[in-house]
Amino acid sequence: MENIIEVEDLTIAYQNKPIIWDIDLKIKNNVILAIVGPNGAGKSTLIKGILSLIPSLSGKIEIFGKNINKNKGKIAYVPQVGNVNWDFPTTVLDVVLMGRYVHLGWVKKPTKKDKEKAMEALKMIEMENFADRQISQLSGGQKQRVFLARALVQEAELYFLDEPMQGIDIKSEAIIFDILKKMKSEGKTIIVVHHDLKTVKKYFDSVIFINKNIIAYGDVETTFTKENIDKTYIGIQDVGII
Amino acid sequence: MLELFKQYNFLLVLVGVTVFSASAGAIGVISVLRRQSLIGDAISHATLPGIVIVFMLLQTKNSFLFLVGAIIAGIFAYLLILLINNNTKIDLDTTLAITLTFFFGLGMMLLSISSKSKNAAQAGIQEYIFGSAATINQMDVIMIVITSIIVLCVYLFLYKEIKIFIFDELQAILSGFEPKIMHIIILISSLIVISVGIQSVGVILVSAMLIGPGVSALQWSKKFHVVVILSAIFGAISGFTGVLLSSYVDKLPTGSTVVFIMSIITVVSILISRLKFKKEK
Ligand SMILES: Nc1ncnc2c1ncn2[C@@H]1O[C@H](COP(=O)(O)OP(=O)(O)OP(=O)(O)O)[C@@H](O)[C@H]1O
Ligand SMILES: [Mg+2]
């Protein structure tokens, strides 16, 4: 199918200091795409910019050929774990249920059906026994899986995940990638900010190299080269690959 | 004891302060969890000039118009905080301190001008600084009850929206719950509670009633609805016992007593939860 995301000339600044600029990007349907780049390169900023979660200086963004506001419910976003309030007094099941809110709208309460869907998602991430667990008592990997479950119950078409492998154990990593693979086979599009260059070839079919602007973008086969890595991580010793 | 309960005025004070403290506890949980308790403090101090200006215009006490004045001044303070925060590099704490002192200073200045008139003493306008529960009348109690019902409705109808707003604001945006709307609803709810409460506990101490119950409740439960209910209960207990105690002990001011009991509950809650935490380890 044609492009589902089209970004033209996107520039984002925090307090007048540009963070990423001149971003042009077209993303095809049904890919599993890695966004890589050093710390502070603007990976999270790019995702938030595409989702219009932060204001931009310039740029035109279309998702599914429409403005983002017309796509509510079709897009799921998993933030970097640190970006939410883990001290909030609630349970794992409750957080997963939040993924259903977009389909409920204002005032309406989650139904039994919604709860069943949330439990199913918990089963997928192998955490059904944690439904009543306090979210403050989860390990890093479990928090990531709970977020993934919340994205799953949203039943979206397009998924953005910001470093889902951050601070994660091997078991959680395997579970998450199995699910991402399955989602791709169901026709979803998955965009992942990824830190571990060693596993890019293993898990992804496309890759974006970013450092303030896009350095390279294409199929992993042709684009994930030493040259592009060097260009992106310029001046950074030992990026831990090859 | 029973004698006291038969007095209509005493009952008004008892009901008014108790119900106000409960609703302050309930709505205050949100800013405690959003780690924005100090915004409530700045805004409650900022209500003083609003009340004094309304008094200067009317030269008499009118609880409803005082409420309107307090809300308008509170919104002004909030907008000022946003304006400074979004357009300068001054950090939030400093901004809050500036706003608080500016509005409170303005309020005190206007107060000392207006208190030269005879009406000022009659209206008990000075009492708004430290509070004077004894001046609560029937109209005040009705307004306290109405604001409590509003707070209750906010929780009943927007429970899930409040949860997602506190836990993950970006997810709230993506789910179609505009945070601006949530900010406004929570701000207005807090402001009306603050405004009906300052008469009993005063401008300076009212924010303690928003923060204390929430902090205490969070020590006892890890379920949001339990925390909200507990917070209201802790507020109510301090209000109730504070009014009783101050009516028995001569010269004990009601507002400060209520806040003092609230502080004891908070300290005890924190101590007990620390002890439990140590045992579990
Ligand atoms: N809210 C903010 N206000 C000001 N500057 C910010 C803000 N958020 C991010 N930045 C800055 O923007 C730059 C890019 O941040 P971003 O979070 O997009 O990087 P990233 O590539 O996701 O990094 P990481 O790998 O550490 O997650 C950084 O220099 C950061 O300091
Ligand atoms: Mg990031």
Side-chain angles (χ1 to χ4, degrees):
Chain A
M1 210 188 96
E2 77 291 6
N3 301 316
I4 56 169
I5 300 178
E6 298 204 3
V7 177
E8 243 173 70
D9 191 30
L10 179 67
T11 297
I12 292 175
Y14 286 118
Q15 278 117 30
N16 297 324
K17 192 175 143 242
I19 302 295
I20 54 172
W21 54 85
D22 301 336
I23 304 282
D24 291 304
L25 195 61
K26 291 183 164 63
I27 297 174
K28 281 205 290 280
N29 191 19
N30 198 208
V31 291
I32 176 159
L33 166 72
I35 300 178
V36 298
N39 288 112
K43 304 180 294 293
S44 302
T45 305
L46 174 64
I47 292 193
K48 288 183 202 161
I50 294 175
L51 292 172
S52 303
L53 292 172
I54 44 177
S56 53
L57 284 185
S58 74
K60 186 166 164 257
I61 299 159
E62 284 195 343
I63 303 184
F64 301 114
K66 284 183 283 192
N67 184 287
I68 168 96
N69 294 322
K70 304 230 164 76
N71 284 306
K72 292 252 151 67
K74 280 192 186 170
I75 304 164
Y77 165 63
V78 173
Q80 246 170 304
V81 235
N83 289 5
V84 304
N85 183 354
W86 289 104
D87 291 331
F88 183 71
T90 194
T91 60
V92 166
L93 181 67
D94 222 30
V95 169
V96 178
L97 260 178
M98 286 181 188
R100 298 299 304 162
Y101 289 4
V102 65
H103 300 293
L104 295 170
W106 290 90
V107 181
K108 255 203 195 134
K109 306 252 176 300
T111 62
K112 224 176 128 194
K113 191 93 199 269
D114 293 317
K115 275 180 195 144
E116 281 165 18
K117 284 190 172 162
M119 279 311 290
E120 255 169 60
L122 279 177
K123 234 173 251 164
M124 278 184 74
I125 57 159
E126 298 180 22
M127 281 183 66
E128 64 269 38
N129 298 328
F130 287 73
D132 293 324
R133 177 74 73 96
Q134 278 311 308
I135 55 167
S136 56
Q137 298 167 0
L138 297 175
S139 74
Q142 289 166 340
K143 284 178 183 167
Q144 295 284 12
R145 277 146 69 190
V146 170
F147 268 167
L148 182 60
R150 185 180 74 175
L152 284 172
V153 297
Q154 225 173 298
E155 296 173 338
E157 305 286 318
L158 172 60
Y159 290 79
F160 290 87
L161 294 85
D162 199 344
E163 299 208 28
M165 305 303 156
Q166 198 179 23
I168 209 172
D169 47 292
I170 294 174
K171 185 188 171 209
S172 295
E173 175 164 332
I175 291 172
I176 290 179
F177 269 110
D178 276 350
I179 292 173
L180 295 186
K181 233 193 264 169
K182 194 166 158 263
M183 284 157 64
K184 197 200 158 194
S185 72
E186 288 165 357
K188 317 275 188 192
T189 304
I190 304 134
I191 297 166
V192 183
V193 174
H194 192 63
H195 229 112
D196 183 8
L197 292 176
K198 285 186 221 96
T199 51
V200 170
K201 277 195 163 153
K202 185 170 157 200
Y203 295 129
F204 296 93
D205 50 33
S206 323
V207 61
I208 292 176
F209 285 96
I210 184 171
N211 195 350
K212 310 290 170 191
N213 42 37
I214 291 179
I215 311 280
Y217 167 41
D219 291 344
V220 167
E221 293 287 309
T222 53
T223 315
F224 194 71
T225 58
K226 176 148 192 334
E227 200 198 335
N228 283 332
I229 294 170
D230 287 345
K231 259 202 257 169
T232 310
Y233 291 82
I234 192 159
I236 298 168
Q237 301 288 307
D238 184 29
V239 293
I241 184 182
I242 310 169
Chain B
M1 171 118 196
L2 280 174
E3 279 308 296
L4 211 48
F5 278 94
K6 281 182 197 145
Q7 290 173 21
Y8 184 62
N9 278 340
F10 174 76
L11 280 181
L12 278 183
V13 174
L14 188 67
V15 171
V17 174
T18 306
V19 174
F20 151 70
S21 305
S23 56
I27 198 74
V29 171
I30 298 174
S31 39
V32 169
L33 279 169
R34 284 178 55 81
R35 303 191 186 96
Q36 291 189 333
S37 315
L38 286 177
I39 295 184
D41 196 33
I43 290 173
S44 37
H45 279 76
T47 55
L48 185 64
I51 294 169
V52 180
I53 289 171
V54 171
F55 171 74
M56 288 171 100
L57 296 174
L58 296 177
Q59 288 296 314
T60 171
K61 179 184 165 183
N62 177 318
S63 302
F64 179 72
L65 290 176
F66 278 9
L67 178 87
V68 173
I71 290 174
I72 292 173
I75 291 174
F76 254 110
Y78 185 74
L79 292 178
L80 187 68
I81 293 168
L82 282 191
L83 196 73
I84 297 176
N85 204 44
N86 293 344
N87 293 298
T88 68
K89 285 191 174 146
I90 303 171
D91 62 25
L92 185 62
D93 284 352
T94 314
T95 306
L96 293 178
I98 296 170
T99 316
L100 187 152
T101 31
F102 172 73
F103 276 88
F104 192 60
L106 179 68
M108 293 296 277
M109 196 182 80
L110 294 175
L111 193 62
S112 74
I113 297 171
S114 71
S115 64
K116 300 220 165 72
S117 76
K118 264 188 206 143
N119 298 336
Q122 271 167 4
I125 182 88
Q126 259 122 341
E127 314 286 7
Y128 278 81
I129 298 172
F130 291 110
S132 167
T135 60
I136 291 180
N137 60 29
Q138 196 171 328
M139 169 83 164
D140 297 325
V141 174
I142 291 172
M143 292 215 310
I144 288 173
V145 170
I146 292 173
T147 55
S148 307
I149 292 171
I150 293 174
V151 169
L152 188 67
C153 288
V154 167
Y155 271 111
L156 284 181
F157 292 115
L158 298 175
Y159 185 63
K160 80 170 195 299
E161 288 80 359
I162 290 172
K163 277 200 295 193
I164 197 167
F165 175 70
I166 299 174
F167 177 66
D168 186 352
E169 202 170 312
L170 295 184
Q171 178 74 11
I173 299 177
L174 284 173
S175 306
F177 308 117
E178 192 45 61
K180 267 198 201 111
I181 297 176
M182 296 304 295
H183 277 295
I184 292 170
I185 292 172
I186 293 161
L187 174 71
I188 300 283
S189 317
S190 309
L191 257 177
I192 55 175
V193 172
I194 290 170
S195 308
V196 297
I198 38 189
Q199 197 182 352
S200 31
V201 288
V203 166
I204 297 175
L205 292 179
V206 71
S207 66
M209 295 310 291
L210 290 166
I211 301 166
V215 173
S216 312
L218 278 165
Q219 313 300 323
W220 296 99
S221 173
K222 293 273 179 227
K223 290 204 169 71
F224 185 53
H225 64 276
V226 180
V227 169
V228 175
I229 293 167
L230 259 186
S231 191
I233 292 174
F234 285 149
I237 291 174
S238 355
F240 191 85
T241 43
V243 171
L244 278 191
L245 199 65
S246 61
S247 61
Y248 278 112
V249 182
D250 200 27
K251 290 207 174 118
L252 209 53
T254 310
S256 322
T257 311
V258 170
V259 174
F260 183 64
I261 292 173
M262 187 64 254
S263 316
I264 293 176
I265 294 179
T266 311
V267 171
V268 170
S269 301
I270 292 174
L271 285 180
I272 291 179
S273 106
R274 285 292 131 88
L275 284 180
K276 270 199 304 194
F277 187 66
K278 263 194 190 148
K279 255 189 210 156
E280 276 164 22
K281 278 201 162 176

